[in-house]
Amino acid sequence: MPDFIDPDIVKKIENLRQELHRHNNRYYVMDAPEISDAEYDRMMRQLIELETQYPELSSPDSPSMRVGALPLKKFDSVKHTVRMLSLDNAFSDSDILNFDRRAKKELMTEGEILYTVEPKMDGVAVELVYENGKLVIGSTRGDGETGEVITSNVKTIRTVPILLQQHGNKEKAPARLEVRGEVVICREGFKRLNEEMSSNDLPLFANPRNAAAGSLRQLDPRITARRPLEIFIYGTGDVTGMNINSHWDLLCRLKYFGFRINPHIKQKITIEGVIEYFRELEKMRYELPYDIDGMVIKVDSIESQVQLGTTARSPRWAIACKFKAIQETTRVLKIEVQVGRTGTLTPVAHLETVNIGGVNVNRATLHNGDEISRKDIRIGDTVLVQRAGDVIPEIVKAIDTVRTGREKIFTMPANCPFCNTPVVQDEGEASLRCTNDACPAIIKAQIEHFASKKAFNVDGLGEKLINQLVDKGYLSSFADIFYLDKEKIESLDNMGSKSAENLLESIEKSKNISFSRFLYALGIRHVGEHIAEILASKYGYLENLYDAKYDDLKDIKGIGPVLAKSLADFFICEKNRKRVDQILKCGVNIYPQEDNITPTLDGKIFVLTGTLETMTRSEAIQKIKKLGGKVSESVSKKIDFVLAGHSPGSKIEKARALGVYIIDEESFKKIAGA
Ligand code: IVH
């Protein structure tokens, strides 16, 4: 740093930065420029010249960062403070009405619930974290818990504020503000981008969503800077220092701070209005400059959102209504039968590649033999295929009017195509099953599930390696994974010494696992991620679940008789217990469930006053903290809830005066699921 920098230079740089941030917002976010493009460019050039001349005055918050920082070697990862959930889907009016009915039941109200509805942008979810008004981290959604840090890349997006807009001293930016939104590329920009890719002899992007995802994951931000990315903000993660009562108010406040909010959001409408708007939006979808694949319905009141809470995967206060699938015709080349981890035989149609709504499709599931007969789908048929959102493509029907007579009728095999064991059909089930425990297809699929991201998360142990390891006889059970050595791994295709070491390291790392992931990994029929979490928090330890009886299990909320039977059968079976013991003998450490609780009260601050009836004060505090909430001693505007028991003190008066929500013990128990 030189001894002296002319304070006028410092001031000039500061002024230019401030003005450029403001004009950027007026132009890109508000669509109301005050100066010409040429004037903007002139100011930007002047700033870059000054920053080059005085590198000691450079700043990560400068608008010049939009041209792209230096390339990275790899992306760091970051744990989201609040998990980035996804949304459940509604495909019909009755799904929407059911969602409304469930919400009313849960909120115990017969009155209308007000919803805010938003176009569901078809892009890439990102999180932007602001500390005291400055953008500090931009990240991808990743697996919902941990994302990749792409700060330099998001800074290149003109509609991402690098500094929040402050309006004098009227309202200061919150101390911490995590916003979430969708990064998209407009259809027009996408067309131009692909033209450019084509003229540079580079592979084309299949659709705007892939183009947005690919552009965000560039290690060189200068490449990202040249891509026509835009962002729309639709919600928040962790927020400190901002009190909001409704989703619509939240969006307005975010807009005030300089974020771009979709102009087609409709606020506070009843469920009839929601259905009506869904139709309108569906008609409008191709007139919008960017792709949308549906509409998101959100309960507007934040208090009701908290009360409704979330499941492991998605909020109960929001749902995505998908537009009707896009359909195309193509030809069935052959039908192949796959065998999954539970032994179920699934026929899959291999199709002549067809582009449906921007995605190349060459496979479609046919579900089971009954479905093939019902739809009368034959090999060689011309068929109508549809893709609904991200769901696996499926065949709607065969177009029998164009049959030539050379089409072949397909019948499901009587024996497993992988081990030749005769297949069985369980009572009341449409699917056929291979019951051979030693069937290589079942073992491969089970191990793939066991090692997958949501289970043991053995990085690098995917389908191709597992196939080879099973075929060579190195893997025939879950526990065998932990006995793999360097020599065995190195004997596989394309596996050198370094990759073998990496895989061994991932295997070692995977040995520390939460109870729910462990349960999920076992691949017990009907036990998905969410059920595994319910079981893990109910039973705490594997030993407890070993002894659980059908009658206890079936009464657990969310379980029911089919699942209870599947679980009881699994743990009663000596062979299964042995398999579990073998895994534990390999040094696998199952840690208790606490870490896996869904933080439904994340960031919410409570004040307790008065005496509670059915729990002690410290039990209530523990519950709040366990669900991610905080407890404070004094009431202020920052407080989300005052939990009032009998004979509350003066805190309740203060809460009333400040308009802070006051809840009784009953409502608290609902919010906290106690
Ligand atoms: S809200 C907790 N609003 O859809 C709920 N999501 O399956 C978080 N998306 O990953 C999502 N437009 O990337 C919400 N207006 C909108 C959205 C939207 C697009 C995406 C989002 C999310 C996925 C949910």
Side-chain angles (χ1 to χ4, degrees), residues 325 338 346-349 351 356 361-367 385-395:
Q338 292 179 348
T346 309
V348 174
L351 307 168
I356 311 182
V361 171
N362 53 22
R363 299 274 192 283
T365 174
L366 288 163
H367 302 290
V385 180
Q386 76 174 16
R387 195 175 65 88
D390 285 334
V391 183
I392 311 162
E394 63 172 1
I395 296 183

Side-chain angles (χ1 to χ4, degrees), residues 296-512:
V296 185
I297 311 177
K298 297 179 179 173
V299 171
D300 192 59
S301 147
I302 304 286
E303 188 193 12
S304 303
Q305 288 186 4
V306 174
Q307 207 170 326
L308 287 163
T310 68
T311 67
R313 212 186 76 88
S314 49
R316 287 201 189 86
W317 47 265
I319 197 161
C321 317
K322 293 300 192 71
F323 294 142
K324 262 185 228 83
I326 315 168
Q327 303 180 332
E328 290 294 341
T329 52
T330 184
R331 230 166 58 86
V332 177
L333 301 176
K334 66 172 183 174
I335 296 177
E336 176 197 60
V337 173
Q338 292 179 348
V339 176
R341 68 187 161 86
T342 53
T344 304
L345 271 63
T346 309
V348 174
H350 289 226
L351 307 168
E352 220 161 63
T353 304
V354 60
N355 190 292
I356 311 182
V359 170
N360 285 336
V361 171
N362 53 22
R363 299 274 192 283
T365 174
L366 288 163
H367 302 290
N368 51 54
D370 285 358
E371 172 107 347
I372 301 181
S373 323
R374 194 170 53 77
K375 291 183 177 167
D376 186 19
I377 290 161
R378 306 179 188 181
I379 300 163
D381 260 345
T382 299
V383 287
L384 192 63
V385 180
Q386 76 174 16
R387 195 175 65 88
D390 285 334
V391 183
I392 311 162
E394 63 172 1
I395 296 183
V396 182
K397 62 173 185 181
I399 303 175
D400 52 8
T401 47
V402 295
R403 275 194 180 139
T404 60
R406 288 195 297 274
E407 294 77 15
K408 279 204 215 105
I409 293 182
F410 175 82
T411 38
M412 288 294 280
N415 292 50
C416 169
F418 297 92
C419 68
N420 212 27
T421 307
V423 295
V424 297
Q425 185 160 25
D426 294 332
E427 216 184 292
E429 300 262 344
S431 301
L432 301 174
R433 253 178 358 106
C434 167
T435 52
N436 173 14
D437 282 349
C439 170
I442 299 181
I443 292 175
K444 284 173 184 170
Q446 283 180 342
I447 295 180
E448 207 182 319
H449 173 79
F450 184 85
S452 67
K453 245 194 160 67
K454 291 174 182 168
F456 267 72
N457 191 19
V458 185
D459 199 17
L461 189 58
E463 187 185 347
K464 280 195 189 131
L465 280 196
I466 292 171
N467 285 350
Q468 290 186 63
L469 287 162
V470 173
D471 292 343
K472 280 181 178 266
Y474 294 154
L475 278 188
S476 60
S477 74
F478 296 148
D480 287 346
I481 295 177
F482 304 106
Y483 293 108
L484 287 174
D485 56 27
K486 204 167 169 206
E487 200 180 318
K488 286 178 185 160
I489 302 173
E490 273 179 353
S491 74
L492 309 177
D493 296 346
N494 302 323
M495 288 300 277
S497 158
K498 188 71 199 142
S499 343
E501 277 167 21
N502 288 345
L503 180 56
L504 286 171
E505 202 179 307
S506 318
I507 293 174
E508 197 52 38
K509 239 170 64 190
S510 77
K511 286 184 179 171
N512 214 14

Side-chain angles (χ1 to χ4, degrees), residues 1-11 13 54-57:
M1 183 106 173
D3 294 342
F4 173 77
I5 297 178
D6 184 348
D8 283 344
I9 298 287
V10 179
K11 224 160 139 193
I13 289 183
Y54 300 94
E56 56 280 20
L57 294 181

